[in-house]
Amino acid sequence: MKLMTLAAGLVLAASAAFADPVEGTWKTQPGDDGNYGLVTISTCGADICGVLGQGYDASGKKIASPNIGKQMIWGMKPAGDGAYKGGKIWAPDRDKTYNSKMMLSGNQLKVEGCVLGICRGQTWTRVK
């Protein structure tokens, strides 16, 4: 029993040690509608994904939205040196999905995406 407990503890410690640096909660910049959100980024198998956790209006008041809990980032792959690429990002303010890449620099995450040659980007700030 002690051996199983030790093994489980080592697995948990190893998982925490190998957590991707982009994992956490990120505050988006306001969209076209002035609203912003908190996105929780985590690993999904070998990829990085993100889910909209809460939405806020321009004054910072929580808003109810059918988009809360919706996946915003999927298929993103670490490319080294803080870069992520090969994924998709969904923008709720325009209801469009973009081919995306991200660049992590400290507590800032530059998120960019393009669809049919039209590109846009934001810089998100780490909340936790």
Side-chain angles (χ1 to χ4, degrees):
M1 184 66 159
K2 287 182 182 180
L3 185 57
M4 287 183 66
T5 303
L6 178 61
L10 290 174
V11 168
L12 288 174
S15 296
F18 293 115
D20 196 281
V22 78
E23 287 186 78
T25 303
W26 296 87
K27 178 183 174 185
T28 70
Q29 284 184 255
D32 291 342
D33 55 9
N35 297 339
Y36 66 93
L38 297 181
V39 177
T40 301
I41 296 179
S42 60
T43 55
C44 297
D47 295 340
I48 301 296
C49 60
V51 174
L52 180 61
Q54 181 59 58
Y56 298 87
D57 66 16
S59 68
K61 181 179 176 188
K62 284 185 181 182
I63 56 173
S65 170
N67 297 325
I68 294 172
K70 187 169 181 178
Q71 192 166 33
M72 288 184 61
I73 300 169
W74 62 95
M76 199 67 70
K77 295 172 184 20
D81 293 327
Y84 298 83
K85 57 185 175 180
K88 303 279 187 185
I89 188 165
W90 171 71
D93 61 337
R94 295 189 184 176
D95 194 24
K96 292 200 183 310
T97 300
Y98 299 85
N99 295 320
S100 184
K101 62 183 180 178
M102 304 186 307
M103 177 58 85
L104 177 65
S105 179
N107 288 324
Q108 302 289 307
L109 182 65
K110 185 172 176 116
V111 180
E112 297 178 321
C114 298
V115 64
L116 299 173
I118 299 171
C119 301
R120 42 186 312 220
Q122 288 191 338
T123 300
W124 296 358
T125 305
R126 187 185 300 272
V127 176
K128 62 179 175 175

